[in-house]
């Protein structure tokens, strides 16, 4: 009797577990990926073809162009607007039977791949990107071959579309072959590039560039910089440098190529003009020039003008003089009567004296 009860309990428990699992599968949304522009069919669970169901998307009735065929919902010419959470309910009691998260996207295309060594001779890195959006999650598989063997590939911790590879040997004559495959739920595509070791060497730009005016030299600037910190062996693999500079008032650059020096004196600067200065670096034997460094600005030494000797200003009081020829426009003062009679007496006195002598 006890064994029978135990058996019945086990059967009931198993039925409960199965029912719970089925119920759970109905509540958990499953992902369905479809190509943009296609017609999409979504099946409501495992219901028979003659089942009657209704559908909702994101909790509301489906308003996009569609049709129903038993337990199936068919959407036509889907685009990104059809993305969403679709749920189906069995009629007439309205029990939810399935939940589907619909993702609309496109298959990947051949990724663009580039490789570069800024840490020569330590190693190189490759980066890639899709030229067109896929709108759904896309992953990348990377394979690097050298001298008929695969090399270890280390994913970058910061840039998701970048990996690092160590050089297995230096001065190798065998080419490297890099294959990058883009994969998503709708398909895959790959790109393959091959290159020689020497062709991908490109240092990072020089660092800590400074430009300083030279005292009492109005046409000189002292420029200094440091080799890029990412270049691992500057002693055995020296760099050469390329300096360019111009005044802000002109568009044309002046250039100076230097062997391995990390300083240069500009001797032909325009006095008093602000300059913009940049430096690039390159391995002395192989590879290409780096990008330009961050631009710095500087102005040559400006000689202060010699101050003039101060003078004491003396206020000069103008002397007042009577003009001998009065202006015709200036009003004339009337002469006093006494002065006029005196001049008349002076004029007629000789005449009166002559008349007195005649009558005597």
């Amino acid at each position: 009797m006890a064994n029978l009860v135990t058996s019945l309990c086990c059967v009931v428990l198993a039925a409960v577990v199965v029912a719970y699992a089925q119920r759970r599968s109905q509540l958990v949304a499953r992902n369905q990926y479809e190509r943009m522009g296609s017609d999409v069919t979504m099946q409501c669970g495992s219901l028979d073809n003659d089942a009657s169901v209704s559908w909702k998307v994101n909790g509301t009735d489906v308003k996009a162009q569609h049709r129903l065929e038993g337990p199936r919902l068919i959407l036509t010419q889907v685009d990104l607007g059809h993305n969403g959470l679709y749920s189906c309910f069995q009629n007439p009691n309205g029990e939810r039977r399935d939940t589907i998260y619909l993702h609309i996207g496109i298959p990947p295309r051949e990724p663009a791949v580039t490789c570069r060594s800024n840490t020569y001779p330590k190693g190189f890195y490759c980066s890639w990107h899709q030229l067109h959006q896929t709108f759904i999650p896309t992953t990348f598989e990377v394979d690097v071959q050298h001298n008929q063997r695969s090399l270890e590939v280390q994913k970058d911790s910061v840039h998701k579309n970048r990996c690092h590879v160590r050089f297995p040997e230096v001065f190798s004559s065998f080419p490297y072959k890099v294959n990058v495959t883009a994969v998503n739920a709708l398909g895959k595509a790959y790109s393959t590039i091959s290159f020689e070791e020497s062709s991908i060497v490109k240092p990072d730009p020089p660092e800590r560039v400074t430009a300083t005016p030279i005292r009492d030299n109005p046409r000189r600037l002292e420029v200094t910089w440091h080799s890029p910190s990412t270049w691992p062996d500057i002693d055995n693999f020296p760099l050469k440098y390329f300096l360019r500079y111009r005044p802000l008032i002109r568009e044309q650059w002046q250039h100076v190529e230097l062997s391995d020096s990390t300083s240069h004196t500009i001797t032909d600067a325009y006095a008093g003009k602000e300059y913009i200065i940049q430096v690039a670096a390159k391995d002395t034997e192989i590879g290409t020039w780096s990008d330009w460094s961050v631009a710095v600005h500087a102005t040559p030494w400006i000689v202060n003008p010699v101050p003039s000797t101060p003078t004491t200003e003396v206020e000069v009081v103008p002397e007042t003089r009577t003009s001998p020829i009065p202006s015709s426009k200036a009003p004339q003062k009337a002469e006093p009567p006494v002065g006029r009679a005196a001049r008349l007496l002076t004029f007629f006195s000789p005449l009166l004296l002559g008349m007195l002598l005649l009558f005597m």
Side-chain angles (χ1 to χ4, degrees):
M1 185 67 181
N3 292 335
L4 179 60
V5 173
T6 302
S7 299
L8 290 174
C9 289
C10 290
V11 171
V12 172
L13 180 60
V16 170
V17 170
V18 171
Y20 177 79
Q22 292 177 345
R23 181 66 176 173
R24 181 67 177 171
S25 65
Q26 296 169 3
L27 297 177
V28 177
R30 55 189 175 89
N31 293 311
Q32 183 171 337
Y33 294 90
E34 298 292 345
R35 186 190 296 256
M36 189 180 299
S38 65
D39 294 344
V40 174
T41 299
M42 286 182 283
Q43 170 71 34
C44 183
S46 57
L47 294 178
D48 295 334
N49 290 337
D50 58 353
S52 175
V53 299
S54 60
W55 289 82
K56 291 184 180 295
V57 56
N58 300 325
T60 62
D61 294 336
V62 179
K63 297 180 181 179
Q65 185 176 355
H66 69 282
R67 68 178 186 271
L68 295 175
E69 294 182 358
R72 291 177 291 276
L73 171 66
I74 301 175
L75 303 174
T76 58
Q77 298 291 310
V78 295
D79 55 27
L80 297 178
H82 289 85
N83 285 330
L85 185 65
Y86 290 78
S87 302
C88 62
F89 304 85
Q90 187 173 13
N91 299 324
N93 55 6
E95 180 184 0
R96 185 168 64 176
R97 300 304 300 270
D98 201 0
T99 304
I100 303 170
Y101 206 117
L102 181 62
H103 305 267
I104 306 301
I106 60 175
R109 300 182 184 180
E110 295 82 359
V113 183
T114 58
C115 295
R116 173 191 168 205
S117 175
N118 62 337
T119 58
Y120 188 79
K122 183 179 178 181
F124 64 93
Y125 70 86
C126 295
S127 57
W128 54 86
H129 65 276
Q130 281 280 297
L131 298 177
H132 304 278
Q133 282 186 286
T134 61
F135 305 105
I136 58 176
T138 301
T139 59
F140 297 90
E141 301 170 356
V142 184
D143 179 64
V144 180
Q145 298 281 332
H146 177 257
N147 194 15
Q148 299 182 347
R149 68 187 183 97
S150 294
L151 302 182
E152 181 182 356
V153 176
Q154 182 180 2
K155 291 293 184 69
D156 192 281
S157 59
V158 177
H159 303 90
K160 65 177 183 178
N161 290 355
R162 178 180 293 186
C163 70
H164 298 267
V165 181
R166 295 187 66 88
F167 282 119
E169 55 183 297
V170 182
F171 310 125
S172 172
S173 60
F174 294 99
Y176 290 81
K177 182 179 179 181
V178 177
N179 180 283
V180 179
T181 303
V183 182
N184 67 22
L186 300 177
K188 62 174 60 178
Y190 69 89
S191 295
T192 302
I193 63 171
S194 297
F195 53 84
E196 301 289 337
E197 169 188 314
S198 60
S199 66
I200 63 169
V201 176
K202 180 182 178 180
D204 288 329
E207 302 172 355
R208 291 179 282 171
V209 181
T210 62
T212 308
I214 300 177
R215 185 178 181 84
D216 296 327
N217 285 273
R219 300 200 63 190
R220 297 195 175 200
L221 288 169
E222 183 69 21
V223 185
T224 62
W225 60 88
H226 290 76
S227 60
S229 57
T230 51
W231 197 254
D233 193 353
I234 192 68
D235 294 327
N236 293 316
F237 295 88
L239 297 175
K240 60 181 179 179
Y241 301 95
F242 203 58
L243 172 72
R244 73 175 186 176
Y245 59 97
R246 66 174 176 85
L248 292 183
I249 61 174
R250 299 186 62 184
E251 296 295 330
Q252 184 177 1
W253 293 91
Q254 295 173 272
H255 301 87
V256 179
E257 184 171 343
L258 306 165
S259 56
D260 58 354
S261 174
T262 56
S263 65
H264 177 73
T265 301
I266 298 173
T267 60
D268 57 352
Y270 290 109
K273 301 301 181 181
E274 182 180 356
Y275 271 74
I276 180 172
I277 302 162
Q278 292 178 292
V279 187
K282 179 186 175 298
D283 183 272
T284 55
E285 297 182 2
I286 61 174
T288 58
W289 287 99
S290 73
D291 295 333
W292 291 108
S293 64
V294 177
V296 297
H297 293 248
T299 302
W301 182 270
I302 299 177
V303 179
N304 294 326
V306 178
S308 58
T309 304
T311 57
T312 303
E313 295 185 357
V314 178
E315 183 178 358
V316 178
V317 179
E319 182 181 355
T320 304
R321 297 182 178 178
T322 303
S323 175
I325 305 177
S327 172
S328 60
K329 295 182 180 180
Q332 300 298 318
K333 293 184 179 180
E335 295 184 3
V338 177
R340 183 179 301 172
R343 282 202 297 271
L344 289 175
L345 181 61
T346 303
F347 177 78
F348 287 107
S349 57
L351 182 57
L352 294 175
L353 180 59
M355 292 179 65
L356 290 174
L357 294 176
L358 183 58
F359 286 104
M360 289 182 59

